[in-house]
Amino acid sequence: MAATAGAAPGTSALEKARRAWDDGAIDQAERDYRQALERGGLDRAATLECWIHVGAARAVLGKKREALSAFRMALLIDDNFSVPPEAGKKADALANAARRQSNRVPTLNMSVSAPSVVETLTVAVPL
């Protein structure tokens, strides 16, 4: 995906993050994926990719709490996401821990009802 003039603001940072990840520069990749998210405009798949890689990078860097936080964000987009295999077992274990924790959070269901017909009141104001 090449960055073009009409591309989303986060596209160039996403491309940079992908290159850093592929080169094994995990700390740089984590920063660039975060920057892509901050700049915004990414579609659902790219946003999910960013959160997964931020979580995986943080897991590799030993930032457990921060990795869990990123994986929770990924879960909001797709609860069946996969961690890149090159991130290792630690990242996969933290993603699974985030899944278990999210399953413990109760769901709030609400319903709202309103009358189908509403009477109107007309008030004449003398001029």
Side-chain angles (χ1 to χ4, degrees):
M1 174 194 307
T4 62
T11 302
S12 62
L14 178 57
E15 289 300 320
K16 189 176 173 188
R18 288 172 175 160
R19 285 191 301 274
W21 183 269
D22 290 342
D23 292 343
I26 303 302
D27 56 341
Q28 183 63 48
E30 190 266 347
R31 284 190 298 271
D32 292 337
Y33 277 115
R34 276 190 300 114
Q35 188 174 63
L37 289 165
E38 290 166 5
R39 289 184 180 172
L42 302 173
D43 64 16
R44 182 179 186 271
T47 302
L48 177 62
E49 175 189 348
C50 288
W51 283 118
I52 292 169
H53 281 82
V54 167
R58 289 173 175 175
V60 169
L61 296 169
K63 300 176 180 178
K64 180 181 174 180
R65 194 176 81 231
E66 294 89 344
L68 284 168
S69 178
F71 286 138
R72 285 185 201 110
M73 293 301 293
L75 285 168
L76 294 173
I77 300 168
D78 180 359
D79 59 356
N80 291 313
F81 73 84
S82 298
V83 176
E86 64 273 14
K89 292 181 181 181
K90 187 187 305 184
D92 199 44
L94 286 171
N96 287 329
R99 282 187 184 92
R100 284 190 304 277
Q101 291 170 359
S102 73
N103 288 334
R104 291 187 302 207
V105 176
T107 303
L108 175 63
N109 293 310
M110 297 176 64
S111 64
V112 177
S113 61
S116 58
V117 177
V118 178
E119 292 184 35
T120 60
L121 176 62
T122 306
V123 177
V125 178
L127 296 176

